[in-house]
Amino acid sequence: MIGSSLLEALTEVVPIEDPRIDLAGEGVTTVREIMSTELATVDTSTQLMEAARVMSAARAGSVLVIDGDSLVGIFTERDILRALADSSSADRARVSSVSKWMARDLVTVAPETTVAEALNQMLFGGFRHLPVTEGRSVVGVVSMRDLAKSIAGD
C-alpha cells in the first residue's frame, strides 16, 4: 500500500512554467516573432523553372504568387513535383506557369497568431508554409521549420 504522503505527492498538480504555454496569454510566442519578412515572390505568369530559381536563391520551400498588389496563391516544392509528375515531359513542365500549379485557396494567419495555432493550421491543412497577413498586406511567411525551431527553443 502506498503511504498517504507519497500518494499526495503523486497526485499533486504541478503548474507548467514554460512561457510558451502560458494559458493566460502572456508570454506566448507569436508568429510575428518567428516569421520571415523577406518575401520570395513571383507573378502569375512566372514559369516553373524561374520560380524554382527564386526559391533556391531565397533558400525557401515556397514563393508567394502576387498579381498586382494582391496575394493570389502560393507555389511550393510539392507543386514542382506535381507538375513534373503530371506532365508528359520535363521540358513542358518547366515552362508552364506557376498559376497552373499553385494553391489558390490560401489559408493565412495574422502576426498575432500563436505558434500553437499556426502549427494546428499547418498540421490539419497538410501544408508547410503560411502567409502572414495584416489587413490586405502580406507581411511575412511562417514555415513548419520556423515553428519547430520556436517550439524547440532555438
Side-chain angles (χ1 to χ4, degrees):
M1 182 160 152
I2 299 176
S4 63
S5 62
L6 180 56
L7 183 58
E8 288 171 11
L10 290 173
T11 58
E12 181 179 320
V13 177
V14 178
I16 297 174
E17 295 183 20
D18 186 334
R20 293 170 297 175
I21 309 175
D22 182 356
L23 298 178
E26 297 175 18
V28 175
T29 303
T30 64
V31 167
R32 182 183 306 276
E33 298 169 63
I34 64 168
M35 69 184 185
S36 173
T37 56
E38 293 183 27
L39 304 177
T41 64
V42 298
D43 65 43
T44 55
S45 64
T46 302
Q47 293 178 349
L48 187 138
M49 275 307 287
E50 181 57 26
R53 284 187 190 103
V54 171
M55 279 190 251
S56 179
R59 298 178 51 90
S62 68
V63 289
L64 300 176
V65 184
I66 308 294
D67 186 12
D69 292 336
S70 299
L71 175 65
V72 295
I74 188 166
F75 182 77
T76 70
E77 296 163 320
R78 289 179 181 177
D79 297 322
I80 293 171
L81 291 174
R82 198 166 41 91
L84 290 170
D86 288 351
S87 296
S88 59
S89 75
D91 285 338
R92 187 168 296 153
R94 65 195 262 330
V95 297
S96 63
S97 70
V98 296
S99 63
K100 180 176 179 180
W101 303 103
M102 70 184 185
R104 295 173 189 277
D105 298 327
L106 293 178
V107 173
T108 64
V109 293
E112 301 314 315
T113 302
T114 68
V115 165
E117 291 167 330
L119 180 60
N120 190 48
Q121 287 282 342
M122 287 184 180
L123 290 174
F124 289 102
F127 38 84
R128 297 179 285 194
H129 305 91
L130 275 174
V132 182
T133 57
E134 269 185 314
R136 301 190 83 184
S137 300
V138 180
V139 295
V141 174
V142 66
S143 70
M144 187 64 80
R145 178 173 289 157
D146 297 330
L147 296 175
K149 284 181 182 178
S150 172
I151 292 167
D154 287 8

